[in-house]
C-alpha cells in the first residue's frame, strides 16, 4: 500500500457533554493520512488507554490542560508499532508509547514518543502498571503519602489501575492497607489476589460503619482518586497529621451543578486544621517530570517478581472506545481499561 493511500480511523469529540458523556458526544471518522516527511514516523496503534482524566478534557472549563476541541481527536496514551520510519532514532517494528490519541494510525515527529521496555508480558502494561497510572500511584504514595511501616492506608477504587498499585506498594512498605471498591467480586479480588488486609464495598448501605470497623486505629494516609461519599466517610477517621495525595475525583466528573445536601466544607476545614492534615493534589507528569527512570527502576522488579500484580480489562475495537469510556466513568470496568485497536 502506498503512503498516499494509507487511511485510518479516528474518534473525535463531536460535542461537549452536559453531565455524563453519551455516544453522541463522539464521532468515528475515516481519513487519509499525509505522506511521510523526513524526520517523521508512521505509527499503528495496538492498544489505547482509557482513563478518567479524559472526561475533564472533554470540557472547556479551565483546567491544568487544554481541552479537546470540537472535531479534534480524543486525547489518550497508546502503545503503537512503527510501521514506517524516516526518523533516525526509530526503526520499523519498534514498539513505542505516547499520547497519540483515539486513532488507528498517526504520523509523528518522534517527540514525546518513547520506546517500551523489553520483556513485558504484554506491551499494554506500558499504559498501566509501568505507565502513567503506575507512576501516579507510586509518586503520589511515596512523595506525598510518605508511608511509614505500621501505618494504616485507605485507597479508593482499589481494584483499578491506580488504586491496586497504591495498595500493593504500601504493603511492600509494611503498612496496613484497606481498599474501597464497588461490589463483592472486586473486594474479594483486592484481598485474595492483591493482598490487601481488608476491602470495603462502597455500595453497601452501611459503608461508613464498615469502613470505620476496618480502620479501628484511624487512617494515616488516604489516597484519594474518587471523592464523593467515600471521602465523606474517610474524613472523620483521619488521624493527626494524616496525608492525602489527591490525583482524581471521578465521583464528581459528570456533575454539572452543585451537589445537594448539607454544606460539609466547615467540617472538613475544622478536621484539616485540628488534625493538621495535609492534602495535596498533583498531576504526575507535571509535578514529577523527569523521574520516570526512578519509578521504572523501583516498579519493574516488583512486577517481574510478582510482588505487584496487575489486572487489565481489554475491549476490542476502536469503535467501542466511547461506550467503554462511558462505562469507566460508571465503574463498570474491572482493572486497567484498554482498547485493543489492532493485533500485534
Amino acid at each position: 500500500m502506498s503512503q498516499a493511500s494509507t487511511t485510518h480511523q479516528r474518534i473525535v469529540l463531536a460535542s461537549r457533554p452536559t453531565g455524563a458523556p453519551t455516544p453522541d458526544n463522539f464521532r468515528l471518522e475515516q481519513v487519509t493520512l499525509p505522506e511521510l516527511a523526513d524526520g517523521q514516523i508512521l505509527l499503528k496503534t495496538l492498544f489505547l488507554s482509557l482513563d478518567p482524566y479524559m472526561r475533564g478534557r472533554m470540557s472547556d472549563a479551565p483546567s491544568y490542560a487544554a481541552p479537546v476541541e470540537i472535531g479534534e481527536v480524543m486525547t489518550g496514551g497508546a502503545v503503537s508499532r512503527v510501521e514506517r520510519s524516516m526518523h533516525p532514532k526509530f526503526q520499523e517494528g519498534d514498539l513505542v508509547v505516547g499520547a497519540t490519541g483515539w486513532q488507528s494510525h498517526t504520523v509523528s515527529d518522534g517527540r514525546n514518543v518513547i520506546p517500551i521496555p523489553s520483556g513485558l508480558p504484554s506491551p499494554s502494561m506500558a499504559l498501566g502498571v509501568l505507565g502513567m497510572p503506575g507512576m501516579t500511584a507510586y509518586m503520589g504514595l511515596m512523595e506525598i503519602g510518605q508511608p511509614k511501616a505500621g501505618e494504616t492506608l485507605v485507597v479508593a477504587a482499589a481494584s483499578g489501575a491506580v488504586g491496586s498499585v497504591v495498595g500493593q506498594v504500601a504493603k511492600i512498605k509494611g503498612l496496613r492497607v484497606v481498599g474501597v471498591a464497588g461490589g463483592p467480586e472486586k473486594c474479594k479480588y483486592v484481598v485474595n489476589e492483591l493482598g490487601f488486609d481488608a476491602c470495603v464495598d462502597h455500595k453497601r448501605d452501611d459503608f461508613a460503619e464498615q469502613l470505620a470497623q476496618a480502620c479501628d486505629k484511624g487512617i494515616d494516609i488516604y489516597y484519594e482518586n474518587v471523592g464523593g461519599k467515600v471521602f465523606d466517610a474517610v474524613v472523620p477517621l483521619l488521624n493527626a497529621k494524616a496525608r492525602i495525595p489527591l490525583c482524581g475525583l471521578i465521583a464528581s466528573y459528570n456533575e454539572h451543578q452543585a451537589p445537594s445536601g448539607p454544606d460539609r466544607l466547615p467540617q472538613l476545614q475544622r478536621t484539616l486544621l485540628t488534625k493538621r492534615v495535609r492534602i495535596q493534589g498533583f498531576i504526575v507528569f507535571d509535578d514529577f517530570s523527569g523521574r520516570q527512570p526512578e519509578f521504572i527502576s523501583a516498579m519493574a522488579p516488583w512486577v517481574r517478581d510478582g510482588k505487584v500484580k496487575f489486572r487489565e480489562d481489554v475491549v476490542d475495537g476502536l469503535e467501542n472506545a466511547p461506550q467503554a469510556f462511558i462505562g469507566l466513568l460508571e465503574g463498570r470496568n474491572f482493572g486497567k481499561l484498554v482498547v485493543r485497536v489492532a493485533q500485534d
Side-chain angles (χ1 to χ4, degrees), residues 26-276:
F26 306 91
R27 183 172 65 249
L28 179 66
E29 297 180 342
Q30 184 162 306
V31 297
T32 301
L33 288 171
E35 293 189 18
L36 222 56
D38 286 340
Q40 292 184 328
I41 52 177
L42 173 64
L43 300 175
K44 180 177 181 179
T45 305
L46 303 181
F47 292 96
L48 168 67
S49 176
L50 297 182
D51 300 285
Y53 78 84
M54 295 171 179
R55 174 60 183 87
R57 301 291 294 276
M58 297 176 73
S59 169
D60 59 1
S63 186
Y64 63 89
V68 176
E69 297 297 335
I70 302 299
E72 190 174 63
V73 175
M74 279 292 298
T75 187
V79 166
S80 304
R81 181 174 56 236
V82 177
E83 290 280 281
R84 303 192 195 100
S85 178
M86 297 182 68
H87 193 297
K89 293 184 179 180
F90 297 93
Q91 304 296 320
E92 292 183 10
D94 287 351
L95 292 179
V96 298
V97 62
T100 51
W102 295 27
Q103 50 191 343
S104 64
H105 297 77
T106 187
V107 173
S108 170
D109 61 6
R111 286 182 292 182
N112 302 317
V113 174
I114 60 175
I116 290 178
S118 60
L120 299 184
S122 169
S124 60
M125 294 178 72
L127 300 172
V129 66
L130 294 176
M132 180 272 291
M135 187 169 172
T136 298
Y138 180 82
M139 301 308 301
L141 174 63
M142 300 304 296
E143 293 296 315
I144 301 173
Q146 297 183 354
K148 303 176 184 64
E151 291 186 322
T152 295
L153 174 140
V154 171
V155 58
S159 67
V162 174
S164 63
V165 177
V166 169
Q168 291 179 89
V169 173
K171 286 299 297 179
I172 291 171
K173 298 298 179 180
L175 280 71
R176 171 176 167 78
V177 177
V178 177
V180 175
E185 182 183 3
K186 290 182 179 180
C187 285
K188 183 178 179 181
Y189 167 76
V190 166
V191 173
N192 294 345
E193 296 295 326
L194 302 184
F196 288 30
D197 296 286
C199 188
V200 184
D201 182 357
H202 66 72
K203 295 182 179 181
R204 290 180 56 135
D205 293 336
D206 61 346
F207 164 66
E209 292 80 4
Q210 291 291 324
L211 183 64
Q213 290 180 22
C215 304
D216 57 343
K217 295 183 179 179
I219 298 172
D220 300 296
I221 306 172
Y222 173 52
Y223 196 104
E224 175 64 289
N225 55 8
V226 169
K229 70 176 184 179
V230 178
F231 184 73
D232 292 341
V234 163
V235 169
L237 305 177
L238 292 171
N239 288 333
K241 298 187 177 179
R243 290 83 69 197
I244 305 177
L246 168 59
C247 73
L249 295 166
I250 192 172
S252 61
Y253 284 170
N254 287 332
E255 291 182 359
H256 60 284
Q257 58 187 9
S260 60
D263 182 4
R264 298 180 178 87
L265 182 58
Q267 176 196 4
L268 173 60
Q269 291 175 319
R270 178 176 176 82
T271 300
L272 296 178
L273 173 62
T274 58
K275 293 187 176 181
R276 289 89 72 204

